[in-house]
Amino acid sequence: MNHVAVALPLIIALVIMALAFDFINGLHDAANSIATVVSTRLLTPVQAVLFAAFFNFAAYFTFGLKVAETVGKGIIDKDVITPQVIFGALVGAMTWNVITWWRGIPSSSSHALIGGLLGAGTLHAGTNAIVWKGVTSTTSAIVLSPVIGLVVSMLLMLLSSWAFAKTSARTAEGAFKKLHLLSAAAYSIGHGANDAQKTMGIIAVLLYSQGLLGGTFHVPGWVVLSCYVAMGLGTLSGGWKIIETMGSRITKLSHHQGFCASAGGSIMLFAASAFGIPVSTTHTITGCVVGVGAARRASAVRWSVAQRVVVAWLVTIPASAFVGAVFYEVAKVF
């Protein structure tokens, strides 16, 4: 108990740092849920950010905590985690997020956090500390989530085009505006359900490592609430550079396409959250945007921009793992 008391200021500082990561996640990934409604001018940027923040927080009342448990104990063995490992993981992830945000590249905050955790955790306890089942499902999702999102969004484009084939253009446009707003709300809920939970898992495993959870791993209610608040505030701050890339530079969107992209992404996120798989909301919506663009015609997609995004995905885990390992070494000195 004395060990916990001595470490308490450090634990508080790390919890604040984790919430800062969640804030940056909301800032960085705000584009995911509002890019389509901004680029189609369905909502103004300010309205869209408020809209996304509200529905991010609504996820608190919708989903369980399976994703939080995967991150907390399914990437690195929870029994080898130390405050230094958490510090390295958070700084690794935050550094990569800031670099990609600055460059306007929609990389994944989720995979940056997992990369940071892998880098710091392996340096601390070796490769035996890696929980391969969780890592495999997460890395598989790097490939599968955008591909499935792309296919589902293309199918939705085809089905909805067929359903509205005999409707006048004006009536169809009005219907798709309403559907687009609904699908964007669903996507924001999916974003809150998957992304905010990753930080919950990090804070919970930190508390567990210091004996503050009574010996059994669980996510306390105050951790859940504070993570949703931090992400909501981050979303309110907006991520305009990334919104521009997602909403207009990959392909130009109509309300019809915006609806299909957001709906396809929501289906993917809800399924992943139900199974406790921490997927990248960024990867998912990018795949969906490419899918609806390609459904119109392949030349509608700016493939050079999409290619740059894919390269960022592939580099995220190794880059943040390297930075996480470096900052773990820095933390050991202190």
Side-chain angles (χ1 to χ4, degrees):
M1 203 65 193
N2 190 39
H3 166 69
V4 172
V6 170
L8 201 58
L10 173 65
I11 293 165
I12 292 167
L14 284 170
V15 169
I16 292 168
M17 187 186 282
L19 292 173
F21 170 80
D22 223 15
F23 176 87
I24 292 171
N25 191 346
L27 173 84
H28 192 271
D29 288 2
N32 297 342
S33 47
I34 64 175
T36 62
V37 288
V38 172
S39 69
T40 55
R41 294 184 170 81
L42 185 58
L43 298 175
T44 67
V46 174
Q47 287 172 333
V49 167
L50 287 165
F51 176 86
F54 174 81
F55 285 105
N56 271 182
F57 192 73
Y60 175 58
F61 307 99
T62 316
F63 283 88
L65 296 169
K66 286 185 179 177
V67 175
E69 288 171 10
T70 299
V71 174
K73 58 184 183 180
I75 303 296
I76 293 288
D77 181 359
K78 66 186 188 304
D79 295 315
V80 304
I81 296 288
T82 65
Q84 290 91 337
V85 171
I86 297 297
F87 175 79
L90 288 169
V91 177
M94 287 166 89
T95 303
W96 184 246
N97 270 359
V98 169
I99 291 166
T100 50
W101 170 76
W102 185 256
R103 301 292 300 164
I105 301 165
S107 73
S108 166
S109 298
S110 317
H111 292 140
L113 184 61
I114 284 157
L117 192 58
L118 280 169
T122 348
L123 201 62
H124 171 67
T127 51
N128 289 338
I130 298 172
V131 181
W132 289 106
K133 185 185 173 187
V135 173
T136 306
S137 68
T138 304
T139 49
S140 300
I142 292 178
V143 178
L144 292 176
S145 64
V147 172
I148 294 170
L150 184 149
V151 171
V152 171
S153 297
M154 283 185 90
L155 285 173
L156 285 171
M157 275 290 287
L158 295 169
L159 289 170
S160 53
S161 297
W162 174 76
F164 282 86
K166 293 178 182 176
T167 313
S168 70
R170 190 175 174 180
T171 308
E173 181 76 355
F176 282 125
K177 273 188 178 182
K178 294 186 181 77
L179 288 168
H180 188 187
L181 207 58
L182 279 173
S183 64
Y187 195 85
S188 290
I189 291 172
H191 176 241
N194 207 283
D195 266 20
Q197 286 200 30
K198 288 145 191 167
T199 312
M200 293 174 204
I202 289 287
I203 296 174
V205 77
L206 169 67
L207 299 175
Y208 173 83
S209 75
Q210 296 298 294
L212 293 170
L213 293 184
T216 54
F217 181 90
H218 65 278
V219 185
W222 68 266
V223 172
V224 175
L225 198 59
S226 57
C227 284
Y228 277 124
V229 169
M231 176 163 275
L233 290 172
T235 303
L236 280 173
S237 305
W240 310 117
K241 283 187 175 185
I242 295 170
I243 287 167
E244 185 192 356
T245 301
M246 294 294 294
S248 58
R249 289 185 63 201
I250 291 176
T251 188
K252 191 170 170 57
L253 296 172
S254 65
H255 288 300
H256 182 191
Q257 290 171 307
F259 155 66
C260 293
S262 298
S266 307
I267 292 165
M268 182 66 218
L269 286 184
F270 288 170
S273 300
F275 287 106
I277 301 169
V279 298
S280 165
T281 51
T282 313
H283 295 191
T284 305
I285 197 67
T286 306
C288 296
V289 168
V290 170
V292 297
R296 188 172 61 191
R297 63 182 192 278
S299 61
V301 178
R302 293 189 181 93
W303 294 104
S304 59
V305 177
Q307 188 179 7
R308 194 165 66 99
V309 170
V310 171
V311 170
W313 297 349
L314 298 174
V315 172
T316 293
I317 287 184
S320 48
F322 174 75
V323 182
V326 168
F327 278 95
Y328 167 75
E329 284 297 328
V330 171
K332 270 174 59 182
V333 175
F334 298 101

